[in-house]
Amino acid sequence: MGLQYAGKLAHLFAMPHDFDDPDHAHSVLPPDPALRVKALETLLERKGLIDPAALDEIIDTYAHRVGPQNGAAVVARAWDEPEFAEALKQDATAAVRDMGFYGRQGEHIVAVFNTPGQHNMVVCTLCSCYPWPLLGIPPSWFKSDAYRSRAVREPRKVLAEFGVKLADDTKVRVWDSTAEIRYLVIPERPEGTEGWSQEQLAKAVTRDSMVGTDVLGAQS
Amino acid sequence: MSRVHDMGGRFGDGAIDPNPGEPVFKEDWHGRALAVTLACGALGQWNIDVSRHARECLSPKDYARFSYYEKWLAGLADLLEATGVVTREELAGGPVASSDLTDRKMLAEKVAGVLAAGGPANRDGRAPRFAIGDRVRTRVRSANAFVAGGHTRLPSYATGVTGEVVLRHGAHVLPDAAAHGLGERPEPLYTVVFDAGDLWGAPERAGDEVTCDLWESYLEAAS
């Protein structure tokens, strides 16, 4: 990535079909989205530009290997090891990288800790930025217009739709991911988990609690 | 001036469906769309800011009716044509010409390495002008200073508002430049916290807050 693209991209200004052309290039593809992907994939494969086995590998990575279990391991460790929690506060990118969690859409991580006085919640109003190496591919609700538009203006009504009711004296801070910083919410450790192993603790962590749309209730 | 993607604070979108139990890829083609997009990114013909801008340039009508992965597909097709990787005739099913980019094809055995390597946005750059705790005011308009209608990352709801610097992230690539072939022009990046009352007038609850990650040129000193 870098300046070597500058010259290449400069020609976009002079393209006969720029992005603002009302007659976009995508309009010539088939209307059914599944066929649209197939048409693109077939064309690119015939041009020698994509390897279908690489596509399978990418899908398998995010369907099975990279997901919220990674973030849950980070949260469980933060609950169990105060020095790790401190390292997360100081430099979360380095702390999670030490656990093997780094990569695309997780190059710059900030961990935000819920406290009795402050509940943290994450949104990307401009697109759907999400910490992929820690939580995987975002769920539909995170990418929905309703969440993107409302989370910043009425987070408490949004939380109610997830079944979450905060105490009146708990402040909400909504983090709008407008740059390449990706936020991981560290939920408060639920009651009833004293003495649990990190593996047990990780199972109590929900994906949504790490985005801030869930609060972990007492465990039994 | 505004584009359709800049929807923070908008009214009228209705309820959210948390849909617990939803699979990672609801339809097979969703995973395929994601994978094709990532594989094409590896050809090195654009950066993340260019690809975001391509999706934002979908017509408001298409942006509203397309699902998430349909937006990706449309942005991808438009980018592939704009960068000359494919022609419109090829997209429409015409004869397929050879490409001079075949040596950049991402092979299956390279996938893990490419995904793990990521693409960090931090760069060496000038020292930050603002300190943690400084009061700053955002630009009065969310507009690209270089290109009319160009890409920018200041949400409209957070324009002309005073907040406080809570985090500093060093210098990061400026999307307003990088999305338009103008170089990376790294600038100090900050997280700025705003009081909900300053953003919305009548906030849902007094004292709640919203943060945005903002580049130095989006900000001026405030008292």
Coordinates of all heavy atoms in Angstrom, one line a residue, chain A residues 2 5 13 15 20 23-26 41 47 51 56 102-105 107-108 125 140 143 148-150 152-157 161 168 171-176 178-180 183, chain B residues 3 5 7 9-11 13-14 16 22 32 38 44 48 52 57 62-63 78 81-82 85 88 90 97 108 115-116 119 121-122 153 157 180 184 191 200 204-205 208-211 213:
Chain A
G2 N 0.5 2.3 -0.7 CA 1.3 3.5 -0.5 C 1.3 4.3 -1.7 O 0.5 4.3 -2.6
Y5 N 0.6 3.9 -5.6 CA -0.7 3.9 -6.3 C -1.1 5.3 -6.8 O -2.0 5.4 -7.6 CB -1.8 3.4 -5.3 CG -1.6 2.0 -5.0 CD1 -1.7 1.5 -3.7 CD2 -1.4 1.0 -6.0 CE1 -1.5 0.2 -3.3 CE2 -1.2 -0.3 -5.7 CZ -1.3 -0.7 -4.3 OH -1.1 -2.0 -4.0
F13 N -9.6 10.4 -12.4 CA -10.3 11.7 -12.6 C -10.7 11.8 -14.1 O -11.6 12.5 -14.4 CB -9.4 12.8 -12.2 CG -9.1 12.9 -10.8 CD1 -7.9 12.7 -10.3 CD2 -10.2 13.1 -9.9 CE1 -7.6 12.7 -8.9 CE2 -9.9 13.1 -8.5 CZ -8.6 12.9 -8.0
M15 N -11.2 9.3 -16.2 CA -11.9 8.1 -16.8 C -13.2 8.5 -17.5 O -13.9 9.3 -17.0 CB -12.2 7.1 -15.8 CG -11.0 6.4 -15.2 SD -10.0 5.6 -16.4 CE -11.1 4.3 -16.9
D20 N -19.3 8.7 -10.7 CA -20.5 9.4 -10.6 C -21.4 9.3 -11.9 O -22.5 9.9 -12.0 CB -20.2 10.9 -10.3 CG -20.4 11.2 -8.9 OD1 -21.2 10.5 -8.2 OD2 -19.9 12.2 -8.4
D23 N -24.8 6.0 -15.4 CA -24.9 4.7 -16.0 C -23.7 3.9 -15.6 O -22.7 3.7 -16.3 CB -24.8 5.0 -17.5 CG -24.9 3.7 -18.3 OD1 -25.4 2.7 -17.8 OD2 -24.3 3.7 -19.4
H24 N -23.7 3.5 -14.3 CA -22.6 2.7 -13.7 C -22.3 1.4 -14.4 O -23.2 0.8 -14.9 CB -22.9 2.4 -12.2 CG -22.8 3.6 -11.3 ND1 -23.7 4.5 -11.2 CD2 -21.8 3.9 -10.4 CE1 -23.4 5.4 -10.3 NE2 -22.2 5.1 -9.8
A25 N -21.0 1.0 -14.4 CA -20.6 -0.2 -15.0 C -21.4 -1.4 -14.4 O -21.7 -2.3 -15.2 CB -19.1 -0.4 -14.9
H26 N -21.7 -1.4 -13.1 CA -22.3 -2.5 -12.5 C -23.7 -2.8 -13.1 O -24.2 -3.9 -12.9 CB -22.4 -2.4 -11.0 CG -23.3 -1.3 -10.5 ND1 -22.9 -0.1 -10.1 CD2 -24.7 -1.3 -10.4 CE1 -23.9 0.7 -9.7 NE2 -25.0 0.0 -9.9
E41 N -17.1 -13.6 -11.0 CA -16.1 -14.6 -10.7 C -15.6 -15.3 -12.0 O -14.4 -15.5 -12.2 CB -16.7 -15.6 -9.7 CG -15.7 -16.6 -9.2 CD -16.4 -17.6 -8.3 OE1 -17.4 -17.3 -7.6 OE2 -15.8 -18.7 -8.2
K47 N -9.9 -14.4 -17.1 CA -8.8 -13.4 -17.3 C -7.6 -13.8 -16.5 O -6.6 -13.1 -16.6 CB -9.3 -12.0 -16.9 CG -10.2 -11.4 -17.9 CD -10.6 -9.9 -17.6 CE -9.6 -8.9 -18.1 NZ -9.6 -8.8 -19.5
D51 N -8.2 -17.0 -8.4 CA -8.1 -18.4 -8.2 C -9.3 -18.9 -7.4 O -9.4 -18.5 -6.2 CB -6.8 -18.7 -7.5 CG -6.6 -20.1 -7.1 OD1 -7.3 -21.0 -7.5 OD2 -5.6 -20.4 -6.3
D56 N -12.4 -20.0 -2.0 CA -12.8 -21.0 -1.0 C -12.1 -20.8 0.3 O -12.6 -20.9 1.4 CB -12.6 -22.4 -1.5 CG -13.5 -22.8 -2.7 OD1 -14.5 -22.1 -2.9 OD2 -13.1 -23.7 -3.4
Y102 N -4.3 -10.5 14.7 CA -3.9 -9.4 13.9 C -4.4 -9.6 12.5 O -4.7 -10.7 12.1 CB -2.4 -9.2 13.9 CG -1.9 -7.9 13.2 CD1 -2.0 -6.7 13.8 CD2 -1.4 -8.0 11.9 CE1 -1.7 -5.5 13.1 CE2 -1.0 -6.9 11.2 CZ -1.2 -5.7 11.8 OH -0.8 -4.5 11.1
G103 N -4.4 -8.6 11.6 CA -4.7 -8.8 10.2 C -5.7 -7.8 9.7 O -6.0 -6.8 10.4
R104 N -6.2 -8.1 8.5 CA -7.1 -7.2 7.8 C -8.2 -6.7 8.7 O -8.9 -7.5 9.3 CB -7.6 -8.0 6.6 CG -8.3 -7.2 5.6 CD -8.9 -8.0 4.5 NE -9.6 -7.1 3.7 CZ -9.1 -6.5 2.6 NH1 -7.9 -6.8 2.3 NH2 -9.8 -5.7 1.9
Q105 N -8.4 -5.4 8.7 CA -9.5 -4.8 9.5 C -9.3 -4.9 11.0 O -10.2 -4.9 11.8 CB -10.9 -5.2 9.1 CG -11.3 -4.7 7.8 CD -11.4 -3.1 7.8 OE1 -12.0 -2.5 8.7 NE2 -10.7 -2.5 6.8
E107 N -5.8 -3.8 12.2 CA -4.5 -3.3 12.3 C -4.2 -2.3 13.4 O -3.1 -2.1 13.9 CB -4.1 -2.6 10.9 CG -4.1 -3.5 9.7 CD -5.4 -3.6 9.0 OE1 -6.4 -3.1 9.6 OE2 -5.5 -4.0 7.8
H108 N -5.3 -1.7 13.9 CA -5.2 -0.7 14.9 C -6.4 -0.9 15.9 O -7.5 -0.6 15.5 CB -5.3 0.7 14.4 CG -4.3 1.0 13.2 ND1 -3.0 1.1 13.4 CD2 -4.5 1.0 11.9 CE1 -2.4 1.3 12.2 NE2 -3.3 1.2 11.3
T125 N -21.0 4.6 11.3 CA -22.1 5.2 10.6 C -21.9 5.4 9.1 O -22.8 5.5 8.3 CB -22.5 6.6 11.2 OG1 -21.3 7.5 11.0 CG2 -22.8 6.5 12.7
S140 N -25.6 -8.9 10.2 CA -26.5 -8.0 9.4 C -26.9 -6.8 10.2 O -26.9 -5.7 9.6 CB -27.7 -8.8 9.0 OG -27.3 -9.8 8.1
K143 N -24.6 -3.9 10.1 CA -24.5 -3.3 8.7 C -25.8 -2.6 8.3 O -25.8 -2.0 7.2 CB -24.1 -4.4 7.7 CG -22.8 -5.1 8.0 CD -22.4 -6.2 7.1 CE -23.2 -7.4 7.3 NZ -22.5 -8.7 6.7
R148 N -26.9 1.8 11.9 CA -25.9 2.9 11.5 C -26.5 4.3 11.7 O -25.8 5.2 12.1 CB -25.5 2.7 10.0 CG -24.6 1.6 9.8 CD -24.4 1.3 8.3 NE -23.9 2.5 7.6 CZ -23.8 2.5 6.3 NH1 -24.2 1.5 5.5 NH2 -23.4 3.6 5.7
S149 N -27.8 4.4 11.5 CA -28.4 5.8 11.6 C -28.7 6.1 13.1 O -28.6 7.2 13.5 CB -29.6 5.9 10.7 OG -30.6 5.0 11.1
R150 N -29.2 5.1 13.8 CA -29.8 5.4 15.1 C -28.8 5.2 16.3 O -29.0 5.8 17.3 CB -31.0 4.4 15.3 CG -32.1 4.7 14.4 CD -33.3 3.7 14.5 NE -33.7 3.6 15.9 CZ -34.1 2.5 16.5 NH1 -34.2 1.4 15.8 NH2 -34.5 2.6 17.8
V152 N -26.0 6.4 17.1 CA -25.4 7.6 17.6 C -26.4 8.5 18.3 O -26.1 9.3 19.2 CB -24.6 8.3 16.5 CG1 -23.2 7.6 16.3 CG2 -25.3 8.5 15.3
R153 N -27.6 8.5 17.8 CA -28.6 9.5 18.2 C -29.5 9.0 19.4 O -29.8 9.7 20.3 CB -29.5 9.9 17.1 CG -30.6 10.9 17.4 CD -31.3 11.5 16.2 NE -31.8 10.4 15.3 CZ -32.9 9.7 15.5 NH1 -33.6 9.9 16.6 NH2 -33.3 8.8 14.6
E154 N -29.8 7.7 19.3 CA -30.7 7.1 20.4 C -30.2 5.7 20.8 O -30.9 4.7 20.7 CB -32.1 7.1 20.0 CG -32.4 6.5 18.6 CD -33.8 6.6 18.2 OE1 -34.6 7.4 18.8 OE2 -34.2 5.9 17.3
P155 N -28.9 5.7 21.4 CA -28.4 4.4 21.7 C -29.2 3.6 22.7 O -29.2 2.4 22.7 CB -27.0 4.8 22.3 CG -27.1 6.2 22.7 CD -28.0 6.8 21.7
R156 N -29.9 4.3 23.6 CA -30.7 3.6 24.6 C -31.9 2.9 24.0 O -32.3 1.8 24.4 CB -31.1 4.5 25.8 CG -29.9 4.9 26.6 CD -30.2 6.1 27.5 NE -28.9 6.6 28.1 CZ -28.3 6.1 29.2 NH1 -29.0 5.2 30.0 NH2 -27.2 6.6 29.6
K157 N -32.5 3.5 23.0 CA -33.7 2.9 22.4 C -33.1 1.7 21.6 O -33.7 0.6 21.5 CB -34.4 3.8 21.4 CG -35.2 4.9 22.2 CD -36.2 5.5 21.2 CE -37.0 6.7 21.9 NZ -36.1 7.8 22.2
E161 N -33.9 -2.5 22.0 CA -34.3 -3.5 21.0 C -33.4 -4.8 21.1 O -33.8 -5.8 20.5 CB -34.2 -2.9 19.6 CG -35.4 -1.9 19.4 CD -35.2 -0.9 18.3 OE1 -34.6 -1.3 17.3 OE2 -35.8 0.2 18.3
D168 N -29.9 4.3 35.0 CA -30.0 5.7 34.6 C -28.7 6.5 34.9 O -28.4 7.5 34.2 CB -31.1 6.5 35.3 CG -32.5 6.0 34.8 OD1 -32.5 5.5 33.6 OD2 -33.5 6.2 35.4
K171 N -23.6 6.2 32.0 CA -23.4 7.0 30.8 C -23.2 6.1 29.6 O -22.5 5.1 29.8 CB -22.2 8.0 31.0 CG -21.8 8.7 29.7 CD -20.6 9.7 30.0 CE -19.3 9.0 30.0 NZ -18.2 9.9 30.3
V172 N -23.7 6.4 28.5 CA -23.4 5.7 27.2 C -22.4 6.5 26.4 O -22.6 7.7 26.2 CB -24.7 5.5 26.4 CG1 -24.3 4.8 25.0 CG2 -25.7 4.6 27.1
R173 N -21.3 5.9 26.0 CA -20.4 6.5 25.1 C -20.4 5.6 23.8 O -20.0 4.4 23.9 CB -19.0 6.6 25.6 CG -18.0 7.2 24.7 CD -16.6 7.4 25.2 NE -16.5 8.6 26.0 CZ -15.3 8.9 26.6 NH1 -14.2 8.2 26.4 NH2 -15.2 10.0 27.3
V174 N -20.8 6.2 22.7 CA -20.9 5.5 21.4 C -19.6 5.8 20.6 O -19.4 7.0 20.4 CB -22.1 5.9 20.6 CG1 -22.2 5.1 19.3 CG2 -23.4 5.6 21.4
W175 N -18.9 4.8 20.2 CA -17.7 5.0 19.4 C -18.0 4.8 17.9 O -18.3 3.7 17.5 CB -16.6 4.0 19.9 CG -16.3 4.1 21.3 CD1 -17.0 3.6 22.4 CD2 -15.1 4.8 21.9 NE1 -16.4 3.9 23.6 CE2 -15.2 4.6 23.3 CE3 -14.0 5.5 21.4 CZ2 -14.3 5.1 24.2 CZ3 -13.1 5.9 22.3 CH2 -13.2 5.8 23.7
D176 N -18.0 5.9 17.2 CA -18.2 5.8 15.7 C -16.9 5.6 15.0 O -16.0 6.5 15.0 CB -18.9 7.1 15.2 CG -19.4 7.0 13.8 OD1 -19.1 6.0 13.1 OD2 -20.0 8.0 13.3
T178 N -14.8 6.0 12.5 CA -14.7 6.7 11.2 C -13.3 6.7 10.6 O -13.1 7.2 9.5 CB -15.1 8.2 11.4 OG1 -14.3 8.7 12.5 CG2 -16.6 8.3 11.9
A179 N -12.4 6.0 11.2 CA -11.0 5.9 10.6 C -10.7 4.4 10.6 O -11.5 3.5 10.6 CB -10.0 6.7 11.4
E180 N -9.4 4.1 10.7 CA -9.0 2.6 10.7 C -8.8 2.1 12.1 O -8.2 1.0 12.3 CB -7.7 2.4 9.8 CG -7.9 2.9 8.4 CD -9.0 2.2 7.6 OE1 -9.4 1.1 8.0 OE2 -9.6 2.8 6.7
Y183 N -12.6 -0.9 17.4 CA -12.9 -0.9 18.9 C -13.4 -2.2 19.3 O -14.3 -2.8 18.7 CB -13.9 0.2 19.2 CG -13.3 1.6 19.0 CD1 -13.5 2.3 17.8 CD2 -12.5 2.2 20.0 CE1 -12.9 3.5 17.6 CE2 -11.9 3.4 19.8 CZ -12.1 4.1 18.6 OH -11.5 5.3 18.4
Chain B
R3 N -23.5 12.6 0.7 CA -23.8 11.4 0.0 C -24.6 10.5 0.9 O -24.7 10.6 2.1 CB -22.4 10.7 -0.4 CG -21.8 11.4 -1.5 CD -20.7 10.6 -2.2 NE -20.0 11.3 -3.2 CZ -20.3 11.3 -4.5 NH1 -21.4 10.6 -5.0 NH2 -19.6 11.9 -5.4
H5 N -24.4 7.5 2.0 CA -23.9 6.6 3.0 C -23.8 7.3 4.4 O -23.6 6.6 5.4 CB -22.4 6.2 2.6 CG -21.4 7.3 2.7 ND1 -21.4 8.3 1.7 CD2 -20.5 7.6 3.6 CE1 -20.5 9.1 2.1 NE2 -19.9 8.7 3.2
M7 N -25.2 8.5 7.1 CA -26.6 8.3 7.6 C -26.7 8.5 9.2 O -27.7 8.3 9.7 CB -27.2 7.0 7.2 CG -26.5 5.8 7.6 SD -27.3 4.3 7.0 CE -26.9 4.3 5.3
G9 N -27.5 9.5 12.6 CA -28.5 10.4 13.2 C -29.8 10.5 12.4 O -30.8 11.1 12.8
R10 N -29.8 9.9 11.2 CA -31.0 10.0 10.3 C -32.2 9.4 11.0 O -32.1 8.4 11.8 CB -30.7 9.2 9.0 CG -31.7 9.3 8.0 CD -31.2 8.7 6.7 NE -31.3 7.2 6.7 CZ -30.8 6.4 5.7 NH1 -30.3 7.0 4.6 NH2 -30.9 5.1 5.8
F11 N -33.4 10.0 10.7 CA -34.7 9.4 11.2 C -35.3 8.5 10.1 O -35.1 8.7 8.9 CB -35.7 10.6 11.5 CG -35.3 11.3 12.7 CD1 -34.4 12.4 12.7 CD2 -35.9 11.0 13.9 CE1 -34.1 13.1 13.8 CE2 -35.6 11.7 15.1 CZ -34.7 12.8 15.1
D13 N -35.5 5.0 9.9 CA -35.0 3.6 9.5 C -35.7 2.5 10.2 O -35.4 1.3 9.8 CB -33.5 3.5 9.6 CG -32.8 4.3 8.5 OD1 -33.0 3.8 7.3 OD2 -32.2 5.3 8.7
G14 N -36.5 2.8 11.2 CA -37.2 1.7 11.8 C -36.4 0.9 12.8 O -35.3 1.3 13.2
I16 N -34.4 -2.4 14.7 CA -33.2 -3.2 14.4 C -33.6 -4.7 14.7 O -34.3 -5.0 15.7 CB -32.0 -2.8 15.3 CG1 -31.6 -1.4 14.8 CG2 -30.9 -3.8 15.2 CD1 -30.8 -0.7 15.9
E22 N -27.9 -16.0 13.4 CA -27.7 -15.8 12.0 C -26.3 -16.4 11.6 O -25.3 -16.1 12.3 CB -27.7 -14.3 11.7 CG -27.3 -13.9 10.3 CD -27.2 -12.3 10.2 OE1 -28.2 -11.7 9.9 OE2 -26.1 -11.8 10.4
R32 N -19.1 -15.6 -1.3 CA -18.5 -15.5 -2.6 C -18.2 -14.0 -2.9 O -17.1 -13.6 -3.5 CB -19.4 -16.1 -3.7 CG -18.8 -17.0 -4.6 CD -18.2 -18.2 -4.1 NE -17.2 -18.8 -5.0 CZ -16.3 -19.6 -4.7 NH1 -16.2 -20.1 -3.5 NH2 -15.4 -20.0 -5.6
L38 N -12.1 -9.3 -1.9 CA -10.8 -9.4 -1.3 C -9.7 -9.8 -2.3 O -8.6 -9.3 -2.3 CB -10.8 -10.3 -0.1 CG -11.7 -9.9 1.1 CD1 -11.4 -10.8 2.3 CD2 -11.5 -8.4 1.5
G44 N -3.9 -5.0 -6.3 CA -3.2 -3.8 -6.1 C -3.5 -2.6 -6.9 O -2.7 -1.7 -7.1
I48 N -8.0 1.0 0.2 CA -9.3 0.9 0.9 C -10.1 2.1 0.8 O -11.4 2.1 0.7 CB -9.1 0.5 2.4 CG1 -10.4 0.1 3.0 CG2 -8.4 1.6 3.1 CD1 -10.2 -0.6 4.3
R52 N -13.9 2.3 -0.6 CA -15.0 2.9 0.1 C -15.7 3.9 -0.8 O -17.0 4.0 -0.8 CB -14.6 3.5 1.4 CG -14.2 2.5 2.5 CD -14.4 3.1 3.9 NE -13.9 2.1 4.8 CZ -12.7 2.2 5.5 NH1 -11.9 3.2 5.3 NH2 -12.4 1.2 6.3
C57 N -20.3 6.1 -4.1 CA -20.7 6.8 -5.3 C -21.9 6.0 -6.0 O -22.3 6.5 -7.1 CB -19.6 6.9 -6.2 SG -18.5 8.2 -5.7
D62 N -29.7 3.1 -5.8 CA -29.1 1.8 -5.7 C -28.6 1.5 -4.3 O -28.7 0.4 -3.8 CB -27.9 1.7 -6.7 CG -28.3 1.4 -8.1 OD1 -29.5 1.1 -8.3 OD2 -27.4 1.5 -9.0
Y63 N -28.0 2.5 -3.6 CA -27.5 2.3 -2.3 C -28.6 1.9 -1.3 O -28.4 1.0 -0.5 CB -26.8 3.6 -1.8 CG -25.9 3.4 -0.6 CD1 -24.6 3.3 -0.7 CD2 -26.5 3.4 0.7 CE1 -23.7 3.1 0.4 CE2 -25.6 3.2 1.8 CZ -24.3 3.1 1.7 OH -23.4 2.9 2.7
D78 N -17.7 -1.4 -10.7 CA -17.4 -0.1 -11.1 C -15.8 0.2 -11.0 O -15.3 0.8 -11.9 CB -18.1 1.0 -10.3 CG -19.6 0.8 -10.5 OD1 -20.1 0.2 -11.4 OD2 -20.4 1.4 -9.6
E81 N -13.8 -1.6 -13.8 CA -13.9 -0.9 -15.0 C -13.1 0.4 -15.0 O -12.3 0.7 -15.9 CB -15.3 -0.6 -15.4 CG -15.4 -0.1 -16.9 CD -16.5 0.9 -17.1 OE1 -16.9 1.6 -16.2 OE2 -17.0 0.9 -18.3
A82 N -13.2 1.1 -13.9 CA -12.6 2.4 -13.8 C -11.0 2.3 -13.9 O -10.3 3.2 -14.3 CB -13.0 3.2 -12.5
V85 N -9.2 -2.9 -15.4 CA -8.9 -4.3 -15.2 C -9.8 -5.1 -16.1 O -9.4 -6.1 -16.6 CB -9.1 -4.7 -13.7 CG1 -8.9 -6.2 -13.5 CG2 -8.1 -3.9 -12.8
R88 N -16.3 -2.7 -19.9 CA -17.8 -2.8 -19.7 C -18.3 -3.9 -20.6 O -19.2 -4.7 -20.3 CB -18.5 -1.5 -20.1 CG -20.0 -1.5 -19.8 CD -20.6 -0.2 -19.8 NE -20.1 0.7 -18.8 CZ -20.8 1.7 -18.2 NH1 -22.0 1.9 -18.5 NH2 -20.2 2.5 -17.3
E90 N -16.8 -6.6 -21.4 CA -16.5 -7.9 -20.7 C -17.5 -8.2 -19.6 O -18.0 -9.3 -19.4 CB -15.1 -7.9 -20.2 CG -14.0 -8.1 -21.2 CD -12.6 -8.0 -20.7 OE1 -12.4 -7.2 -19.7 OE2 -11.7 -8.6 -21.2
A97 N -10.6 -10.4 -23.0 CA -9.3 -10.2 -23.5 C -8.3 -10.6 -22.3 O -8.7 -10.8 -21.2 CB -9.1 -8.7 -23.7
A108 N -4.3 -19.7 -3.6 CA -4.9 -20.2 -2.3 C -3.9 -20.2 -1.2 O -4.2 -19.9 -0.1 CB -5.5 -21.6 -2.6
L115 N -4.3 -12.1 4.4 CA -5.3 -11.7 5.4 C -4.6 -11.4 6.8 O -5.0 -10.4 7.4 CB -6.3 -12.8 5.7 CG -7.2 -13.1 4.4 CD1 -8.2 -14.2 4.8 CD2 -7.9 -11.9 3.9
A116 N -3.5 -12.1 7.1 CA -2.9 -11.9 8.4 C -2.0 -10.7 8.3 O -1.8 -10.0 9.3 CB -2.0 -13.1 8.7
G119 N -3.3 -4.2 6.4 CA -2.8 -3.0 5.7 C -2.8 -1.9 6.6 O -3.7 -1.1 6.6
A121 N -2.6 1.6 8.5 CA -2.8 3.0 8.0 C -1.9 4.0 8.7 O -1.9 5.2 8.3 CB -4.2 3.4 8.1
N122 N -1.1 3.6 9.7 CA -0.3 4.6 10.3 C 1.0 4.8 9.5 O 1.5 3.9 8.9 CB 0.0 4.1 11.8 CG 0.7 2.8 11.8 OD1 0.4 1.9 11.1 ND2 1.7 2.6 12.7
R153 N -14.2 11.5 5.8 CA -14.7 10.7 6.9 C -15.2 11.5 8.1 O -15.2 11.0 9.2 CB -13.5 9.8 7.4 CG -13.1 8.8 6.3 CD -14.1 7.7 5.9 NE -14.2 6.7 7.0 CZ -15.0 5.6 6.9 NH1 -15.9 5.5 5.9 NH2 -15.0 4.8 7.9
Y157 N -23.3 14.6 10.9 CA -23.9 14.9 12.2 C -22.9 15.6 13.1 O -23.3 16.2 14.1 CB -24.5 13.7 12.8 CG -23.6 12.7 13.4 CD1 -23.0 12.9 14.7 CD2 -23.2 11.5 12.7 CE1 -22.1 11.9 15.2 CE2 -22.3 10.6 13.2 CZ -21.8 10.8 14.5 OH -20.9 9.9 15.0
H180 N -8.4 9.6 -3.9 CA -8.4 10.3 -5.2 C -7.1 10.4 -5.9 O -6.9 11.3 -6.7 CB -9.0 11.7 -5.0 CG -10.4 11.6 -4.4 ND1 -11.5 11.3 -5.2 CD2 -10.9 11.7 -3.2 CE1 -12.6 11.3 -4.5 NE2 -12.3 11.5 -3.3
E184 N -0.8 9.9 0.0 CA -1.3 9.5 1.4 C -1.4 10.7 2.3 O -2.3 10.6 3.2 CB -0.4 8.4 2.0 CG -0.4 7.2 1.1 CD 0.3 6.0 1.9 OE1 1.3 6.2 2.6 OE2 -0.2 4.9 1.7
T191 N -9.1 10.7 18.4 CA -10.5 10.4 18.8 C -11.0 11.6 19.6 O -10.4 12.0 20.6 CB -10.5 9.1 19.7 OG1 -10.0 8.0 18.9 CG2 -12.0 8.8 20.0
W200 N -27.1 16.8 19.2 CA -28.5 16.6 18.8 C -29.4 17.6 19.4 O -30.6 17.5 19.1 CB -29.0 15.2 19.3 CG -28.0 14.1 19.0 CD1 -27.3 13.3 19.9 CD2 -27.6 13.6 17.7 NE1 -26.5 12.4 19.2 CE2 -26.7 12.6 17.9 CE3 -28.0 13.9 16.4 CZ2 -26.0 11.9 16.8 CZ3 -27.4 13.2 15.3 CH2 -26.4 12.2 15.5
E204 N -31.0 12.0 23.9 CA -31.8 11.0 24.5 C -31.6 11.0 26.1 O -32.6 10.8 26.8 CB -31.3 9.6 24.0 CG -32.3 8.5 24.2 CD -31.7 7.2 23.6 OE1 -30.5 7.0 23.6 OE2 -32.6 6.4 23.1
R205 N -30.4 11.2 26.5 CA -30.1 11.4 28.0 C -29.0 12.3 28.1 O -27.9 12.2 27.4 CB -29.7 10.0 28.6 CG -29.2 10.1 30.0 CD -28.6 8.8 30.5 NE -28.0 8.9 31.8 CZ -26.7 9.3 32.0 NH1 -26.0 9.8 31.0 NH2 -26.2 9.3 33.2
D208 N -24.8 11.7 27.9 CA -24.3 10.6 27.0 C -23.3 11.2 25.9 O -23.4 12.4 25.7 CB -25.4 9.9 26.3 CG -26.2 8.9 27.2 OD1 -25.6 8.6 28.3 OD2 -27.2 8.4 26.8
E209 N -22.5 10.4 25.3 CA -21.4 10.9 24.5 C -21.3 10.1 23.2 O -21.7 8.9 23.2 CB -20.1 10.8 25.2 CG -20.0 11.7 26.5 CD -18.8 11.4 27.3 OE1 -18.2 10.3 27.3 OE2 -18.4 12.3 28.0
V210 N -20.7 10.7 22.2 CA -20.4 10.0 20.9 C -18.9 10.4 20.6 O -18.6 11.6 20.7 CB -21.3 10.4 19.8 CG1 -20.9 9.8 18.5 CG2 -22.8 10.1 20.1
T211 N -18.1 9.5 20.2 CA -16.8 9.8 19.7 C -16.7 9.6 18.2 O -17.4 8.8 17.6 CB -15.7 8.9 20.3 OG1 -15.7 7.6 19.8 CG2 -15.9 8.8 21.8
D213 N -13.4 9.4 15.1 CA -11.9 9.4 14.8 C -11.7 10.4 13.7 O -12.2 10.2 12.6 CB -11.5 8.0 14.4 CG -11.7 7.0 15.6 OD1 -11.7 7.4 16.7 OD2 -11.9 5.8 15.3

